[in-house]
Amino acid sequence: MLHINDLTYRIEGRPLFTQATLAINEGHKVGLVGRNGTGKSTLFRLIKGDISPDDGEINLRKNMKLGVVDQEVPSGPQSLIDTVLEADKERKSLLAEADTAADPMRIAAIHTRLSDIDAYSAEARGASILSGLGFTADDQLKPCSDFSGGWRMRVALAAMLFAQPDLLLLDEPTNYLDVEGAVWLEAHIRKYRGTVFVISHDRDFLNTAVTHIAHLHGGKLSGYTGNYDTFERQLAERNRLDMAMMAKQEDERRKLQAFVTRFKAKASKAKQAQSRVKKLAKMQPVATIINDPIAPIDLPGPERSLSPPMVRFDDVALGYGDLVVLRGINQRIDPDDRIGILGKNGQGKSTFAKAIMDELKPLLLDPAKPGFIKRHKKLRIGYFAQHQIDALNPKASAYDHIVELMPDATEAQRRARLANFGLGQKNAETPAGDLSGGEKARLLFSLVGFHKPHLLVLDEPANHLDIDSRAQLIQSLNDYEGAVIVISHDRNLLEAVVDRLWLVDSGKVESFDGSLDDYRALQLEKTKTEKKQKPKEENSRKRHRQDRAKALKELAPYKNVATSLEMMIVSAEAQLRTIDTRLTREDLFTTSPDEAVKLSQTRAKTADLIESLELDWLAALEKYEKERERRGLD
């Protein structure tokens, strides 16, 4: 399916891949893991052919359909369902050709192929995928331009899943999904008929959705069978063996060096000493990963704690203009709180976070009972969100951003600050627009924690961090001495950091008494209940569409018979016209009487064949029409 052989690729002279080799077999679901900046997204660009390797080759199966989610998300007036349906280029092309084709043979071939690719149930399949990714039936009829960038990214993902490519490349697909969407995607990938190669740092996703792990480290690719937990155990065992081998090698090196040092000046031992010098020179160090430390994420806590509550919501309503998103909020945030915010996308989690940050004022729904938000006058808040990353000056380097915060500091102090967040010499001068997602996230953490905030509000903080960096973030948050509010679909992060859960749902923000497992089970059960409670008319329409698609598919053989007969009639009539043309030659019967007789006989047989075919065609057509009528198709 996909073979990467001795791949070498350099960026500005720096080797990113050095003779990397990997084979992915058909039907495998492979998760690509590795530290931020090691080249995972670059590998995808090489596979797509956007860039060319310096050496080696990438071989894809001939005529294979490759599927990727474009960075340019759909944003026009077209509805979501139409956008998804158009992703199947073959279906779109065949339907367009069917409207204009005149050749009966081609028409028959088109309808046969449409039946083969299950084109008649396309709308139902597209709607099912959109529903799984969180779009209601009403949403699916709205234009793409009505939705935010994150939701449009879901539409792009839905379109690619609908197209059903042979090899599907996915780069961090869960970044824009809530818990429910991620659970659906996991199940969809598990049963996907094609091959999947996915970059992900979501441990739950990698444990549930994939069958193999490809590990990118030090410019090399290593393949492992199993999910992420299995890979981690195998890697730990490999490191243990490598460390044992390294210790054994070092012991042997010391013995060889001791012999050389002791006997190199003695003529009787010179030959043996020289032999050991050569052996020392040939000894290759054992490559280990265990001595590859992860850069820290330093989040200094406040110098002095504030008296509780730091933030209090009293009967607060939030929204935008006439749109009320949340109402009746009565919550408080204390200095030692560790709170996880749960809820589907679009329910108001980010709206609530903006209100905590004082970026959104309460709505005045009832002048007699105005809600209010009270904050401690000395409160400092650090806010991390996706739009904050996007707001970084793309032309300014990480060092430039720090200079703005530390104008009076020395260069050494500024660079030390960046180093505390894993932004060392090689990327401190890189423009923010050229940094990887993980490096941008680390830069934003540096800015967010600069003033030692009393409260951290983190909206999907782990989206662009690799698994090791996520573990470092968890450690940093647990060491942080202020309050923390976390909005995240990363279950490991929430379980390790928070001790209370708030649920944003149905216009309310309420405490959730239960675990994350309880919440996931509750949401899945709620989804099942909602499906059962759909209006009968909607279910009836859905059944009608499904029945019609099934009936059309079953009718295809009847139509194909009639179309084939019609094509044979057209061919026979063309043959008859050719014979008639030859028979009209004036001297045919005088100069070639035998040929004239044969042509006359052939004409008679052809005319009889046409008559017979027409009778068969009329019978087949009548049978087709009766079947359509019997099945209630107009």
Side-chain angles (χ1 to χ4, degrees):
M1 174 60 74
L2 169 64
H3 292 273
I4 301 171
N5 300 315
D6 294 328
L7 176 67
T8 298
Y9 183 75
R10 301 173 183 84
I11 295 181
E12 297 179 353
R14 180 173 66 91
L16 201 58
F17 300 100
T18 306
Q19 294 184 318
T21 298
L22 181 71
I24 296 179
N25 295 328
E26 187 170 354
H28 284 183
K29 313 297 187 294
V30 183
L32 177 60
V33 301
R35 295 277 178 86
N36 288 134
T38 53
K40 297 185 296 297
S41 295
T42 301
L43 179 60
F44 272 24
R45 292 182 64 201
L46 286 162
I47 294 171
K48 290 186 292 181
D50 295 342
I51 53 179
S52 300
D54 296 328
D55 198 8
E57 56 184 8
I58 297 176
N59 296 318
L60 297 171
R61 194 186 67 200
K62 190 176 181 181
N63 299 324
M64 187 187 70
K65 186 163 68 171
L66 182 65
V68 297
V69 178
D70 293 330
Q71 295 298 317
E72 190 68 27
V73 295
S75 58
Q78 196 171 36
S79 70
L80 304 191
I81 186 65
D82 287 341
T83 300
V84 169
L85 293 177
E86 284 204 354
D88 190 339
K89 303 298 184 184
E90 183 182 11
R91 173 182 174 274
K92 179 183 176 182
S93 175
L94 288 171
L95 289 175
E97 188 180 355
D99 291 337
T100 59
D103 181 5
M105 184 178 294
R106 180 55 186 159
I107 293 173
I110 289 171
H111 285 285
T112 300
R113 181 56 183 164
L114 285 171
S115 177
D116 290 342
I117 64 175
D118 205 14
Y120 303 110
S121 65
E123 186 174 346
R125 287 188 287 111
S128 175
I129 292 173
L130 283 169
S131 176
L133 293 175
F135 295 99
T136 65
D138 290 337
D139 287 339
Q140 295 175 24
L141 301 178
K142 295 177 182 178
C144 292
S145 56
D146 283 4
F147 295 87
S148 65
W151 284 97
R152 293 203 300 272
M153 185 62 75
R154 290 192 186 199
V155 178
L157 175 59
M160 188 47 56
L161 293 174
F162 173 77
Q164 295 183 323
D166 300 311
L167 174 59
L168 181 60
L169 300 181
L170 297 175
D171 193 345
E172 292 286 3
T174 61
N175 273 3
Y176 297 95
L177 301 179
D178 49 27
V179 172
E180 295 73 24
V183 170
W184 178 89
L185 182 62
E186 291 167 4
H188 187 83
I189 287 180
R190 281 201 308 272
K191 62 184 181 182
Y192 187 73
R193 289 180 296 178
T195 305
V196 180
F197 196 18
V198 54
I199 299 171
S200 180
H201 300 302
D202 187 324
R203 181 186 288 262
D204 273 350
F205 180 82
L206 291 170
N207 275 332
T208 308
V210 307
T211 59
H212 295 74
I213 294 291
H215 184 214
L216 176 55
H217 176 81
K220 303 287 187 180
L221 286 163
S222 303
Y224 297 81
T225 299
N227 61 15
Y228 186 81
D229 283 348
T230 303
F231 152 73
E232 202 170 46
R233 288 193 296 270
Q234 292 175 354
L235 185 63
E237 177 62 16
R238 173 185 160 186
N239 282 336
R240 186 186 69 79
L241 294 174
D242 286 346
M243 291 300 292
M245 179 64 72
M246 186 170 68
K248 183 178 179 180
Q249 186 186 73
E250 286 300 313
D251 184 56
E252 185 179 358
R253 186 186 296 275
R254 282 193 297 272
K255 291 178 180 178
L256 291 171
Q257 188 62 53
F259 185 93
V260 171
T261 302
R262 182 178 179 186
F263 296 111
K264 66 180 179 180
K266 290 189 176 182
S268 61
K269 297 288 185 179
K271 188 175 181 180
Q272 293 92 326
Q274 188 61 32
S275 173
R276 284 162 174 74
V277 168
K278 291 180 180 179
K279 189 173 182 179
L280 275 170
K282 291 180 179 180
M283 288 182 80
Q284 295 292 327
V286 177
T288 64
I289 301 175
I290 201 164
N291 289 325
D292 188 8
I294 185 68
I297 298 176
D298 185 17
L299 295 171
E303 295 173 348
R304 180 177 296 180
S305 181
L306 302 179
S307 58
M310 295 191 300
V311 183
R312 192 174 82 216
F313 288 76
D314 285 329
D315 198 23
V316 172
L318 298 172
Y320 308 90
D322 295 331
L323 175 63
V324 181
V325 178
L326 301 169
R327 64 176 71 226
I329 304 174
N330 292 286
Q331 297 289 359
R332 58 182 283 167
I333 302 172
D334 292 333
D336 58 349
D337 272 338
R338 299 297 174 101
I339 302 168
I341 308 293
L342 304 176
K344 291 184 178 181
N345 284 353
Q347 291 295 316
K349 301 190 299 293
S350 295
T351 298
F352 182 53
K354 290 177 182 177
I356 296 174
M357 289 295 303
D358 201 18
E359 292 183 1
L360 192 64
K361 300 297 181 184
L363 296 176
L364 184 60
L365 301 182
D366 185 355
K369 297 180 179 179
F372 65 88
I373 303 173
K374 184 177 181 181
R375 295 177 182 80
H376 196 289
K377 61 182 180 180
K378 293 184 178 180
L379 175 64
R380 294 190 302 274
I381 303 177
Y383 186 30
F384 183 106
Q386 178 62 45
H387 73 269
Q388 300 288 100
I389 290 181
D390 296 336
L392 292 171
N393 184 346
K395 296 181 180 179
S397 67
Y399 183 79
D400 294 332
H401 282 86
I402 289 296
V403 167
E404 293 183 14
L405 290 176
M406 305 173 66
D408 299 325
T410 64
E411 181 177 350
Q413 290 172 327
R414 294 165 182 160
R415 293 193 180 279
R417 174 72 186 180
L418 288 172
N420 284 341
F421 289 83
L423 298 170
Q425 184 69 31
K426 72 174 183 178
N427 46 28
E429 302 294 344
T430 303
D434 294 336
L435 293 174
S436 69
E439 290 165 343
K440 289 180 184 177
R442 285 178 172 274
L443 173 57
L444 183 56
F445 276 121
S446 175
L447 304 179
V448 164
F450 183 78
H451 295 293
K452 300 180 179 180
H454 302 92
L455 168 65
L456 288 175
V457 180
L458 309 176
D459 191 348
E460 296 292 356
N463 267 3
H464 297 285
L465 297 178
D466 57 52
I467 292 178
D468 292 332
S469 294
R470 292 185 185 204
Q472 180 61 46
L473 175 61
I474 289 172
Q475 180 180 332
S476 299
L477 290 174
N478 286 332
D479 292 340
Y480 172 72
E481 295 181 354
V484 178
I485 304 287
V486 183
I487 302 170
S488 179
H489 69 270
D490 188 315
R491 181 173 169 182
N492 290 303
L493 174 65
L494 290 173
E495 287 180 336
V497 172
V498 309
D499 49 33
R500 297 172 59 197
L501 297 173
W502 287 354
L503 177 59
V504 180
D505 187 39
S506 303
K508 296 184 178 298
V509 181
E510 298 178 330
S511 297
F512 181 77
D513 296 326
S515 65
L516 286 168
D517 286 333
D518 296 331
Y519 170 71
R520 176 175 287 200
L522 176 67
Q523 291 304 309
L524 292 175
E525 183 61 33
K526 184 177 179 181
T527 300
K528 293 179 183 178
T529 303
E530 287 174 351
K531 288 181 179 179
K532 291 179 182 178
Q533 293 177 346
K534 283 184 178 179
K536 291 183 179 179
E537 290 184 7
E538 183 178 336
N539 288 335
S540 177
R541 287 195 298 269
K542 183 177 179 180
R543 284 195 299 272
H544 176 71
R545 288 196 302 268
Q546 292 173 339
D547 291 343
R548 181 179 175 82
K550 182 179 178 182
L552 287 171
K553 185 175 181 179
E554 291 173 349
L555 274 174
Y558 295 97
K559 187 172 184 178
N560 290 343
V561 170
T563 303
S564 297
L565 288 167
E566 185 179 6
M567 177 186 63
M568 292 169 68
I569 292 170
V570 171
S571 177
E573 288 176 339
Q575 184 180 359
L576 189 65
R577 285 194 297 271
T578 301
I579 294 172
D580 286 342
T581 300
R582 294 175 64 184
L583 284 172
T584 56
R585 216 175 74 202
E586 292 182 0
D587 60 345
L588 177 65
F589 286 90
T590 57
T591 59
S592 304
D594 292 340
E595 181 184 356
V597 171
K598 288 181 180 179
L599 283 174
S600 297
Q601 291 173 346
T602 303
R603 187 189 188 287
K605 291 180 181 179
T606 303
D608 290 342
L609 175 62
I610 290 173
E611 185 178 354
S612 175
L613 288 172
E614 286 177 341
L615 290 174
D616 291 343
W617 173 70
L618 288 171
L621 196 62
E622 183 180 3
K623 192 172 184 180
Y624 170 67
E625 294 297 338
K626 283 183 178 179
E627 282 296 320
R628 282 185 65 91
E629 185 178 352
R630 186 177 70 82
R631 297 169 190 271
L633 296 171
D634 48 28

